[in-house]
Amino acid sequence: NGYMGKIENRSFARPESTMLRGPTNGIVSRTLEESIVPGNGWEVNGVPPGNCDGTYSAICGRSKKSDCLLYGHMDNRGGIIGNAYSGWLVMNLKDLKEGIIIIKIETWHKPEESLRTNGWTEVNNGQRYLEGYGTTDDTHRRLEGLPDTLFFDFAIDGKVTSWNKDEFEENRRIPQRVPEVWTLLDDSEMAKKGESKDVELAIRMRGCARDCSFQVTHVYWA
């Protein structure tokens, strides 16, 4: 009955992979009309070098700081980090059939962790791209201190939905002590059709400059 996928690509500025590039459910609040242009301010953060897939033979974490190259410790909280200056993070999700998209984001990261946007004062550092690129027809620490001006936008096949800070918090779910997840699509009608399709998912933050440094760790879809 579908599958779950996670982000594993390493190139995010102008994504080229089959996943990363560029009917809503009842929890959305408003929609916007605009082109989805992949942003230039997203980067990999906290991911050790090597093949860290958890298997016995994997070679992981060999770096200049390693005391033992055979240590192979694989437990890290890595992901793709960005802020309101990063622009859109655009992804391709293959074979969506059950109408479900869930995203896992860490909201507690500090502005200085987003190295790519150091010194930026506007989205994509003021760079402009052609419109339409890549488009198709403990709870305390998590959201504490986020600006009231925060907006979280997500787009599914070019249809943009926007949540303000209160709506972003309201739609958050905490299944365990640390993970935070948001359901971006729950379309039961799509599931009834029994057909699969490739969809484009994009996310971004607005109105919070570098103060909302969010790290995307997983995207689940079925």
Side-chain angles (χ1 to χ4, degrees):
N1 295 327
Y3 60 89
M4 303 173 77
K6 67 178 181 179
I7 296 172
E8 295 179 344
N9 190 277
R10 293 293 189 271
S11 176
F12 307 111
R14 298 298 296 272
E16 298 176 353
S17 81
T18 57
M19 179 175 174
L20 280 162
R21 316 179 28 215
T24 60
N25 53 38
I27 61 176
V28 300
S29 56
R30 63 184 68 83
T31 57
L32 307 173
E33 297 294 335
E34 62 176 86
S35 297
I36 308 300
V37 180
N40 206 29
W42 293 89
E43 62 187 310
V44 176
N45 180 53
V47 177
N51 179 25
C52 305
D53 62 0
T55 59
Y56 175 78
S57 59
I59 298 176
C60 175
R62 292 185 175 181
S63 67
K64 294 180 179 179
K65 298 180 180 179
S66 298
D67 295 326
C68 175
L69 294 179
L70 295 178
Y71 180 47
H73 183 69
M74 300 187 191
D75 182 21
N76 282 275
R77 286 181 178 168
I80 308 169
I81 194 168
N83 52 49
Y85 290 152
S86 299
W88 288 101
L89 175 63
V90 188
M91 299 157 275
N92 285 338
L93 310 185
K94 304 290 289 185
D95 297 325
L96 184 74
K97 184 177 181 180
E98 304 296 333
I100 296 174
I101 300 175
I102 299 172
I103 193 166
K104 180 172 175 283
I105 303 174
E106 297 172 350
T107 61
W108 61 78
H109 289 270
K110 299 177 181 179
E112 55 266 28
E113 294 182 62
S114 180
L115 302 178
R116 192 174 184 89
T117 58
N118 275 344
W120 291 15
T121 59
E122 55 183 314
V123 176
N124 290 324
N125 201 25
Q127 296 180 8
R128 299 290 183 264
Y129 299 115
L130 293 176
E131 289 193 2
Y133 175 88
T135 60
T136 63
D137 258 51
D138 318 342
T139 306
H140 244 350
R141 64 176 181 174
R142 289 186 171 87
L143 296 177
E144 183 179 5
L146 283 180
D148 292 335
T149 54
L150 164 70
F151 282 90
F152 177 81
D153 300 335
F154 63 93
I156 299 175
D157 277 347
K159 186 174 183 180
V160 183
T161 299
S162 181
W163 289 336
N164 61 29
K165 179 187 175 182
D166 291 339
E167 292 165 329
F168 184 67
E169 286 193 84
E170 180 181 344
N171 286 293
R172 179 187 58 165
R173 298 295 180 267
I174 306 174
Q176 293 183 354
R177 181 178 61 87
V178 175
E180 304 170 85
V181 297
W182 286 259
T183 299
L184 305 184
L185 181 69
D186 186 1
D187 187 350
S188 58
E189 293 302 315
M190 182 176 182
K192 293 177 182 177
K193 295 178 181 178
E195 301 174 355
S196 63
K197 59 178 287 190
D198 297 348
V199 302
E200 179 187 86
L201 172 67
I203 68 165
R204 71 175 177 184
M205 290 77 73
R206 291 185 292 117
C208 49
R210 285 168 50 85
D211 294 331
C212 52
S213 292
F214 290 177
Q215 182 159 289
V216 180
T217 64
H218 295 77
V219 176
Y220 307 98
W221 72 96

